[in-house]
Amino acid sequence: ARTGTPEVVFAGGKTPAETVGCLAGLLDAGLPLACATRVDPETAAAVLDRWPDAHVDPVARVAWVGTPPPPLGEVLVLTAGTSDGAVAAEVAATLAASGVGCRRVDDVGVAGVHRVLAVAPDLAAADAVVVVAGMDGALPSVVAGLTDRLVVAVPTSVGYGAAFEGLAALLTMLTACAPGVLVVNIDNGFGAGVAAARIVRSAQR
Amino acid sequence: ARTGTPEVVFAGGKTPAETVGCLAGLLDAGLPLACATRVDPETAAAVLDRWPDAHVDPVARVAWVGTPPPPLGEVLVLTAGTSDGAVAAEVAATLAASGVGCRRVDDVGVAGVHRVLAVAPDLAAADAVVVVAGMDGALPSVVAGLTDRLVVAVPTSVGYGAAFEGLAALLTMLTACAPGVLVVNIDNGFGAGVAAARIVRSAQR
Amino acid sequence: ARTGTPEVVFAGGKTPAETVGCLAGLLDAGLPLACATRVDPETAAAVLDRWPDAHVDPVARVAWVGTPPPPLGEVLVLTAGTSDGAVAAEVAATLAASGVGCRRVDDVGVAGVHRVLAVAPDLAAADAVVVVAGMDGALPSVVAGLTDRLVVAVPTSVGYGAAFEGLAALLTMLTACAPGVLVVNIDNGFGAGVAAARIVRSAQR
Amino acid sequence: ARTGTPEVVFAGGKTPAETVGCLAGLLDAGLPLACATRVDPETAAAVLDRWPDAHVDPVARVAWVGTPPPPLGEVLVLTAGTSDGAVAAEVAATLAASGVGCRRVDDVGVAGVHRVLAVAPDLAAADAVVVVAGMDGALPSVVAGLTDRLVVAVPTSVGYGAAFEGLAALLTMLTACAPGVLVVNIDNGFGAGVAAARIVRSAQR
Amino acid sequence: ARTGTPEVVFAGGKTPAETVGCLAGLLDAGLPLACATRVDPETAAAVLDRWPDAHVDPVARVAWVGTPPPPLGEVLVLTAGTSDGAVAAEVAATLAASGVGCRRVDDVGVAGVHRVLAVAPDLAAADAVVVVAGMDGALPSVVAGLTDRLVVAVPTSVGYGAAFEGLAALLTMLTACAPGVLVVNIDNGFGAGVAAARIVRSAQR
Amino acid sequence: ARTGTPEVVFAGGKTPAETVGCLAGLLDAGLPLACATRVDPETAAAVLDRWPDAHVDPVARVAWVGTPPPPLGEVLVLTAGTSDGAVAAEVAATLAASGVGCRRVDDVGVAGVHRVLAVAPDLAAADAVVVVAGMDGALPSVVAGLTDRLVVAVPTSVGYGAAFEGLAALLTMLTACAPGVLVVNIDNGFGAGVAAARIVRSAQR
Amino acid sequence: ARTGTPEVVFAGGKTPAETVGCLAGLLDAGLPLACATRVDPETAAAVLDRWPDAHVDPVARVAWVGTPPPPLGEVLVLTAGTSDGAVAAEVAATLAASGVGCRRVDDVGVAGVHRVLAVAPDLAAADAVVVVAGMDGALPSVVAGLTDRLVVAVPTSVGYGAAFEGLAALLTMLTACAPGVLVVNIDNGFGAGVAAARIVRSAQR
Amino acid sequence: ARTGTPEVVFAGGKTPAETVGCLAGLLDAGLPLACATRVDPETAAAVLDRWPDAHVDPVARVAWVGTPPPPLGEVLVLTAGTSDGAVAAEVAATLAASGVGCRRVDDVGVAGVHRVLAVAPDLAAADAVVVVAGMDGALPSVVAGLTDRLVVAVPTSVGYGAAFEGLAALLTMLTACAPGVLVVNIDNGFGAGVAAARIVRSAQR
Ligand SMILES: Nc1ncnc2c1ncn2[C@@H]1O[C@H](COP(=O)(O)O)[C@@H](O)[C@H]1O
Ligand SMILES: Nc1ncnc2c1ncn2[C@@H]1O[C@H](COP(=O)(O)O)[C@@H](O)[C@H]1O
Ligand SMILES: Nc1ncnc2c1ncn2[C@@H]1O[C@H](COP(=O)(O)O)[C@@H](O)[C@H]1O
Ligand SMILES: Nc1ncnc2c1ncn2[C@@H]1O[C@H](COP(=O)(O)O)[C@@H](O)[C@H]1O
Ligand SMILES: [Mg+2]
Ligand SMILES: [Mg+2]
Ligand SMILES: [Mg+2]
Ligand SMILES: [Mg+2]
Ligand SMILES: [Mg+2]
Ligand SMILES: [Mg+2]
Ligand SMILES: [Mg+2]
Ligand SMILES: [Mg+2]
């Protein structure tokens, strides 16, 4: 945790036993919190089997053992559509594990721009903003025009055809016409959460 | 003109003499109007040399010989940024040549969403909407959420890096999260103008 | 329905329960019709379980609860091959839900150009044309040369190898050498139906 | 010429002196004909300077020294648009150098399908067909449906935007929905000419 | 069969019942042979159930009902590796259905160039050559240098990583440095077979 | 400047006169500072002609009229190689215009990892880090492992071949295996500078 | 084995029976060792059924029958992360089958650059180095800066989103800013092992 | 030169003065040899102006000041076509600067496979092989099947259309069906030379 970020196991390509082993290693090393992302149901079961009081969020596919620090500050997490919810949940879980507060407003896609405008007070109250969007990925462009907070943009693989598994949203976000937009990998809610937490902590220093 | 669209020469890969020859051929065939797009300065000079009263629009790179029909109805043409102006001018010139009215509002990029909202009365007054945008190409998604008119979206090659010569804007528009968005080729102001003119004419039938 | 288009739930990434919930929400809000696309068999069953008199089209993967407006005008829907049928069915169902008439002619691929020519009377009778094609996606280019109606082109993911999941057809349609062709996302029968319905309604205004 | 094809120097990346040297080498080796493609004006001048009675075709960018065999059979070469003319000229020059007859019909793009139908008698009279097309590249699909001759399809880099330097036309031709279409590289008029010549010679054997 | 090619149903996206229906339609129309490609085991069973004396080739995934014409001429079909066998079998079945003779030599990849050289007598005896190769797709380049026959090149989706589902082989074949190579779609054994049959028939005319 | 960022004109696609006009418009509106990026020599001359005391940085291609706020805090700007210098200069100029301090260390590519390690004290002293790298784009991955500061990664178009105009570096940065890396568009030094300035200001709030 | 490399069957697209047949063929031809890669559990079982004393490595998915030569020299095999282990195991198994010694150090990703520095003594002791990495693929760039040994870089398909199935890592390795890096196909542990073995043998000659 | 490779300045994106400055810096640091690649004529003149006895190779675009070590061993450098000569010259110059012997055989493309076979004695005599090829990039696959030496494959940007600036050749080489092929970046003659020199030196140790 030298970098101020919780140690996190990427369970993606690992067996349940491997993930449990990695988490145990972190705890054995004396860390107060061991976390895993991309946790499928089998892995979640294995974690709960080993540590019955572990925290498991099946939507975010995140699990942790131990106690996160108490929450500080507030990150606003916006999604463009319902289907972006799982990635937003990974952002929220990462923030929780990092000891940073989180406020979510869902389903504020740019096709209903009045709903976007309605989040203005939330933007003003936030230390940083994370915007999660698939398909056209246009939401960060609009949000960044409404705030002087940093906008961490997360393209998702939601969509079909020319969405090309998130490529369309990724390119949109990289070329967003408002400055202040920073981009992470497709579906990388964890990376967005870590970055937003660092912004909050630096604002609180 | 069987399809109700002015006969248009694509001067792109042609010499000035070839384009002049094509225009002369159309006029010889008895057409009241002969039009050319992608007209560079040399070609424009050659056209004016042959037909001193030809109409030449150097920004749109469009030229025509003869008299367009009087304008009918109104198409609203929006641009996201100043640099999209040349493509929007090609839309406007195509509408003029097609005998359709046109109203332009420029520089209403989504990073300043209040400027977009300010075009609401123009949207209500229009028979169809053409939206021209490069970079992230996000404007059609927002506009389509504000109107029940058809939105013809024109991606432009404006931008750099991950804009990939208009590919980013093209993918954004194809995956626009509001329905009612139809897309033409990158920088194809002519195609958008033809399509919008057909919508107006069908509304006026 | 401010935009004159039925409210439609994209069931794609949702559980049956979530889709049923979204539909119920729309009906609770007083809408006369609630529609869903990309409805798989499980979701269809859940919809029928909740609303036994719901309309379900298993080929189009579309379901709706309530009564669509009576049909107005006529859209001609053409397919290049049998395998494009499911996407064309989504177009047709969207038109029905939008209260617009629809006439389908299937399997008129350009390899049998005389069959394409035979639809000329249908083109003349239509208010707008939707062309659905995979593989080479060449049909809209030919059809747009035969009519002054707008042609809404829908590339499909039908094909293999260099069809690249619909990319080949998409690029063909975007570069169609006849003007008047407008393009939607790969397999987006819903978007094509909404657009065609708007053209018809504007023609009927 | 073991393969029955004239020895041809690709002048593309070579200096005029290098190309002249290569041609001289072929003639020194006793060949009756030495040919070069992609010959720019400087190279053409250098060739004529060395061999004043050389044959140079500036549109096709082909030059040869010596006498081609007398023409045998007939290949029909079709272009979709005027801008495809240079590539078609390379096909024709290659056929001439190979001793095969050639008949060209230009500007029969699929947007004017009646013009395509009008070539039916030419198709019936030909030993093989070469179709040259850029933009959407749809012409080979239509032509192959009208004939039992082999169709050699040449995509060209004509177009802009989503034409992607000939990629759109290439993919269209590879996925052509009529069988009997064989494809060469973008702008490869030489390759198409060689292939068509072999078909004619095998038909004449 | 106006184009001299057997009528063939692409069973790819169809149910067994649909394919059987298409075949029955062709036979009802009086055709002597009805053929289907991309026939999976279920479809094969349905075909045999309806026509117990149908011919089914499970490796080629081809089925036909009726009697093909007696074989004429000879096409040499080469494969680079064992895994290209299914596509080569589709070529062979198409040739058989077209009444054209076929000789196969397998596993002559360029990494063992002496095996390639050993097919020289077969090349000399053939009317046309079909080369089937995945991975690097290099075999047609070598073969075309050894013969004056036309080489129909079929890239296959065999390979992994940078083979990109056949894209690597496709590009290799399109840019083959020996002239006389013509290319069909990835895994398109049917198209290659049709083309080769036409070459043979034109040689026999 | 509602978003706390200087108003900046993108001179990229504009004539010198247009850029001067845009800057004058900003000053007329009462802004204390008007800035332009992507300023070529002609535009720089036009700016100096109009405002002789304008600040022009020819390497960064940035110009401004007026006085930036006094610098606050410190951003560390690292480059992997000498050729990344122009983009790093755009970062530095943007920081200066934003009233944020900047410290640059150049030529610390990962091939000399001991040079990277030597910047550890600079990392500890910085409020945020900007890493500019082309070719393999590997530097942000290493730097992010050495610090708990946010790392804003700027891929550059430096390189050739498989660098694909910055695409290789962009993908590397998006998939960086250390968390805390946020990415902007290729060559977008302006966007990185704006973002880093916001981090510093939020740390100073 | 003329090329000094064990004969290896690629079991990828083969049935268990086909792979067993290929191995038997090699043994019948008198080879002392017959090897197969990409061996799935069914194939492994079939191999053991036929040759009970065969060697099977289920992680590497490699199997062999016979006795490899005694190990000579040493190749250092590094992985960036745990998920790259299967590919590294294929490298190790190939080295073993080639009679070359192997030392593995795992999980030395560049985000923890001090762990990379700790392998310096291993680098000095090795005859060649193989670096296996997915995601950003940055490890070979760093390692090549620390050694004068050849670095064989193996990109893996580990990762998601912009990792694009190993493409990101592949491009990173091809553009590595340190010289001495040579690249094989994505996930091609076999190719890397063969190459490293040849380097060792040439060093031992 | 800790890594046993000459220090080399990449003059690609640098002014003549910058490159001269970098070379002077290396010499000032006491190195016996300072080298630059991608040297254009202006830079070459500037180098000769400063060091009249510098060595400049205008085809390879390489320059050096000082004396390379005497040559050791031999690398065989093969090109597929004349146009690959400049890249092969960069390989040769890099070998010379590294103190390694080099033997070149040009124009042995796979379309003339007997010429490839004729290099067998050269292969047997070499310590390592570098193969330079554009277009289809097929030569390394054939060469690797003829030798147990390592084959360093250099794709070049020679070609047009589907050669996609060297991408076709790059993919071919990465998927080469013979083992023992290692790949460097497109047009990277320098990287191939460094790698081959290391193989030779390790063989001579
Ligand atoms: N098949 C479809 N393709 C594209 N967009 C759709 C489709 N079906 C519904 N939509 C749109 O998706 C939005 C609903 O998304 P959601 O809120 O996720 O259900 C609506 O705005 C619809 O217009
Ligand atoms: N325009 C062309 N496109 C593709 N290949 C060509 C062309 N012109 C000549 N060639 C081939 O290029 C080879 C000659 O290349 P070179 O030795 O570089 O002159 C011959 O095998 C020709 O068959
Ligand atoms: N170098 C740059 N890269 C990306 N965006 C920029 C750059 N310079 C200015 N901008 C943005 O471009 C917009 C101005 O565009 P324009 O109105 O065309 O001058 C402003 O919102 C700036 O934030
Ligand atoms: N995992 C692998 N990746 C790439 N090539 C392989 C692999 N395993 C075996 N090969 C090569 O594939 C060829 C055998 O292919 P096959 O004849 O289809 O079994 C041999 O030349 C091996 O060198
Ligand atoms: Mg929604
Ligand atoms: Mg603007
Ligand atoms: Mg059909
Ligand atoms: Mg034309
Ligand atoms: Mg084999
Ligand atoms: Mg450097
Ligand atoms: Mg790790
Ligand atoms: Mg040659």
Side-chain angles (χ1 to χ4, degrees), chain G residues 147-163:
Chain G
T147 181
D148 66 347
R149 298 314 188 247
L150 271 183
V151 173
V152 179
V154 192
T156 71
S157 54
V158 167
Y160 62 89

PDB file of all heavy atoms in Angstrom, chain G residues 147-163:
ATOM      1  N   THR G 147      20.374  -5.641 -19.697  1.00  0.00           N
ATOM      2  CA  THR G 147      21.170  -6.807 -20.078  1.00  0.00           C
ATOM      3  C   THR G 147      21.661  -6.689 -21.507  1.00  0.00           C
ATOM      4  O   THR G 147      21.074  -5.958 -22.302  1.00  0.00           O
ATOM      5  CB  THR G 147      20.325  -8.097 -19.952  1.00  0.00           C
ATOM      6  OG1 THR G 147      21.146  -9.207 -20.322  1.00  0.00           O
ATOM      7  CG2 THR G 147      19.127  -8.074 -20.901  1.00  0.00           C
ATOM      8  N   ASP G 148      22.725  -7.381 -21.823  1.00  0.00           N
ATOM      9  CA  ASP G 148      23.150  -7.468 -23.224  1.00  0.00           C
ATOM     10  C   ASP G 148      22.767  -8.825 -23.825  1.00  0.00           C
ATOM     11  O   ASP G 148      23.185  -9.150 -24.918  1.00  0.00           O
ATOM     12  CB  ASP G 148      24.644  -7.199 -23.372  1.00  0.00           C
ATOM     13  CG  ASP G 148      25.490  -8.268 -22.707  1.00  0.00           C
ATOM     14  OD1 ASP G 148      24.932  -9.076 -21.940  1.00  0.00           O
ATOM     15  OD2 ASP G 148      26.709  -8.287 -22.945  1.00  0.00           O
ATOM     16  N   ARG G 149      21.955  -9.592 -23.108  1.00  0.00           N
ATOM     17  CA  ARG G 149      21.427 -10.825 -23.684  1.00  0.00           C
ATOM     18  C   ARG G 149      20.293 -10.470 -24.643  1.00  0.00           C
ATOM     19  O   ARG G 149      19.649  -9.440 -24.485  1.00  0.00           O
ATOM     20  CB  ARG G 149      20.850 -11.748 -22.594  1.00  0.00           C
ATOM     21  CG  ARG G 149      21.813 -12.246 -21.547  1.00  0.00           C
ATOM     22  CD  ARG G 149      23.099 -12.740 -22.151  1.00  0.00           C
ATOM     23  NE  ARG G 149      23.961 -13.393 -21.174  1.00  0.00           N
ATOM     24  CZ  ARG G 149      25.122 -12.889 -20.784  1.00  0.00           C
ATOM     25  NH1 ARG G 149      25.583 -11.742 -21.261  1.00  0.00           N
ATOM     26  NH2 ARG G 149      25.885 -13.555 -19.934  1.00  0.00           N
ATOM     27  N   LEU G 150      20.028 -11.357 -25.578  1.00  0.00           N
ATOM     28  CA  LEU G 150      18.846 -11.189 -26.415  1.00  0.00           C
ATOM     29  C   LEU G 150      17.602 -11.389 -25.561  1.00  0.00           C
ATOM     30  O   LEU G 150      17.574 -12.284 -24.715  1.00  0.00           O
ATOM     31  CB  LEU G 150      18.827 -12.225 -27.540  1.00  0.00           C
ATOM     32  CG  LEU G 150      19.527 -11.836 -28.828  1.00  0.00           C
ATOM     33  CD1 LEU G 150      19.335 -12.938 -29.844  1.00  0.00           C
ATOM     34  CD2 LEU G 150      18.970 -10.526 -29.363  1.00  0.00           C
ATOM     35  N   VAL G 151      16.582 -10.586 -25.815  1.00  0.00           N
ATOM     36  CA  VAL G 151      15.321 -10.716 -25.107  1.00  0.00           C
ATOM     37  C   VAL G 151      14.250 -11.158 -26.102  1.00  0.00           C
ATOM     38  O   VAL G 151      13.929 -10.433 -27.047  1.00  0.00           O
ATOM     39  CB  VAL G 151      14.925  -9.381 -24.454  1.00  0.00           C
ATOM     40  CG1 VAL G 151      13.527  -9.471 -23.849  1.00  0.00           C
ATOM     41  CG2 VAL G 151      15.955  -8.976 -23.404  1.00  0.00           C
ATOM     42  N   VAL G 152      13.736 -12.368 -25.895  1.00  0.00           N
ATOM     43  CA  VAL G 152      12.625 -12.855 -26.715  1.00  0.00           C
ATOM     44  C   VAL G 152      11.338 -12.487 -25.983  1.00  0.00           C
ATOM     45  O   VAL G 152      11.111 -12.944 -24.859  1.00  0.00           O
ATOM     46  CB  VAL G 152      12.718 -14.371 -26.938  1.00  0.00           C
ATOM     47  CG1 VAL G 152      11.529 -14.854 -27.769  1.00  0.00           C
ATOM     48  CG2 VAL G 152      14.040 -14.720 -27.611  1.00  0.00           C
ATOM     49  N   ALA G 153      10.525 -11.638 -26.600  1.00  0.00           N
ATOM     50  CA  ALA G 153       9.324 -11.115 -25.939  1.00  0.00           C
ATOM     51  C   ALA G 153       8.092 -11.852 -26.425  1.00  0.00           C
ATOM     52  O   ALA G 153       7.875 -11.977 -27.627  1.00  0.00           O
ATOM     53  CB  ALA G 153       9.192  -9.626 -26.224  1.00  0.00           C
ATOM     54  N   VAL G 154       7.273 -12.324 -25.486  1.00  0.00           N
ATOM     55  CA  VAL G 154       6.039 -13.044 -25.803  1.00  0.00           C
ATOM     56  C   VAL G 154       4.847 -12.257 -25.270  1.00  0.00           C
ATOM     57  O   VAL G 154       4.583 -12.250 -24.076  1.00  0.00           O
ATOM     58  CB  VAL G 154       6.007 -14.446 -25.158  1.00  0.00           C
ATOM     59  CG1 VAL G 154       4.857 -15.255 -25.749  1.00  0.00           C
ATOM     60  CG2 VAL G 154       7.327 -15.157 -25.303  1.00  0.00           C
ATOM     61  N   PRO G 155       4.093 -11.598 -26.147  1.00  0.00           N
ATOM     62  CA  PRO G 155       2.872 -10.942 -25.676  1.00  0.00           C
ATOM     63  C   PRO G 155       1.829 -12.002 -25.360  1.00  0.00           C
ATOM     64  O   PRO G 155       1.742 -13.010 -26.055  1.00  0.00           O
ATOM     65  CB  PRO G 155       2.433 -10.102 -26.880  1.00  0.00           C
ATOM     66  CG  PRO G 155       3.080 -10.731 -28.070  1.00  0.00           C
ATOM     67  CD  PRO G 155       4.320 -11.434 -27.591  1.00  0.00           C
ATOM     68  N   THR G 156       1.038 -11.776 -24.291  1.00  0.00           N
ATOM     69  CA  THR G 156      -0.040 -12.736 -24.003  1.00  0.00           C
ATOM     70  C   THR G 156      -1.396 -12.057 -24.151  1.00  0.00           C
ATOM     71  O   THR G 156      -1.507 -10.836 -24.129  1.00  0.00           O
ATOM     72  CB  THR G 156       0.068 -13.324 -22.581  1.00  0.00           C
ATOM     73  OG1 THR G 156      -0.257 -12.308 -21.627  1.00  0.00           O
ATOM     74  CG2 THR G 156       1.445 -13.869 -22.303  1.00  0.00           C
ATOM     75  N   SER G 157      -2.413 -12.884 -24.276  1.00  0.00           N
ATOM     76  CA  SER G 157      -3.771 -12.370 -24.446  1.00  0.00           C
ATOM     77  C   SER G 157      -4.411 -12.024 -23.108  1.00  0.00           C
ATOM     78  O   SER G 157      -5.617 -11.765 -23.040  1.00  0.00           O
ATOM     79  CB  SER G 157      -4.613 -13.397 -25.199  1.00  0.00           C
ATOM     80  OG  SER G 157      -4.562 -14.645 -24.557  1.00  0.00           O
ATOM     81  N   VAL G 158      -3.611 -11.981 -22.050  1.00  0.00           N
ATOM     82  CA  VAL G 158      -4.124 -11.614 -20.730  1.00  0.00           C
ATOM     83  C   VAL G 158      -4.526 -10.135 -20.727  1.00  0.00           C
ATOM     84  O   VAL G 158      -3.809  -9.293 -21.243  1.00  0.00           O
ATOM     85  CB  VAL G 158      -3.039 -11.879 -19.659  1.00  0.00           C
ATOM     86  CG1 VAL G 158      -3.404 -11.223 -18.332  1.00  0.00           C
ATOM     87  CG2 VAL G 158      -2.823 -13.376 -19.496  1.00  0.00           C
ATOM     88  N   GLY G 159      -5.663  -9.837 -20.130  1.00  0.00           N
ATOM     89  CA  GLY G 159      -6.146  -8.455 -20.044  1.00  0.00           C
ATOM     90  C   GLY G 159      -7.560  -8.330 -20.573  1.00  0.00           C
ATOM     91  O   GLY G 159      -8.189  -9.326 -20.919  1.00  0.00           O
ATOM     92  N   TYR G 160      -8.066  -7.108 -20.626  1.00  0.00           N
ATOM     93  CA  TYR G 160      -9.425  -6.875 -21.124  1.00  0.00           C
ATOM     94  C   TYR G 160      -9.468  -5.498 -21.759  1.00  0.00           C
ATOM     95  O   TYR G 160      -8.516  -4.727 -21.693  1.00  0.00           O
ATOM     96  CB  TYR G 160     -10.442  -7.017 -19.982  1.00  0.00           C
ATOM     97  CG  TYR G 160     -10.256  -6.030 -18.859  1.00  0.00           C
ATOM     98  CD1 TYR G 160     -10.882  -4.793 -18.876  1.00  0.00           C
ATOM     99  CD2 TYR G 160      -9.426  -6.326 -17.787  1.00  0.00           C
ATOM    100  CE1 TYR G 160     -10.695  -3.873 -17.861  1.00  0.00           C
ATOM    101  CE2 TYR G 160      -9.229  -5.416 -16.763  1.00  0.00           C
ATOM    102  CZ  TYR G 160      -9.871  -4.188 -16.803  1.00  0.00           C
ATOM    103  OH  TYR G 160      -9.672  -3.278 -15.798  1.00  0.00           O
ATOM    104  N   GLY G 161     -10.579  -5.189 -22.402  1.00  0.00           N
ATOM    105  CA  GLY G 161     -10.757  -3.862 -23.001  1.00  0.00           C
ATOM    106  C   GLY G 161      -9.676  -3.546 -24.012  1.00  0.00           C
ATOM    107  O   GLY G 161      -9.463  -4.293 -24.968  1.00  0.00           O
ATOM    108  N   ALA G 162      -8.968  -2.444 -23.787  1.00  0.00           N
ATOM    109  CA  ALA G 162      -7.974  -1.971 -24.743  1.00  0.00           C
ATOM    110  C   ALA G 162      -6.753  -2.882 -24.842  1.00  0.00           C
ATOM    111  O   ALA G 162      -5.833  -2.590 -25.616  1.00  0.00           O
ATOM    112  CB  ALA G 162      -7.550  -0.547 -24.403  1.00  0.00           C
ATOM    113  N   ALA G 163      -6.708  -3.969 -24.073  1.00  0.00           N
ATOM    114  CA  ALA G 163      -5.658  -4.971 -24.281  1.00  0.00           C
ATOM    115  C   ALA G 163      -5.903  -5.693 -25.607  1.00  0.00           C
ATOM    116  O   ALA G 163      -4.970  -6.255 -26.192  1.00  0.00           O
ATOM    117  CB  ALA G 163      -5.631  -5.973 -23.130  1.00  0.00           C
TER     118      ALA G 163
END
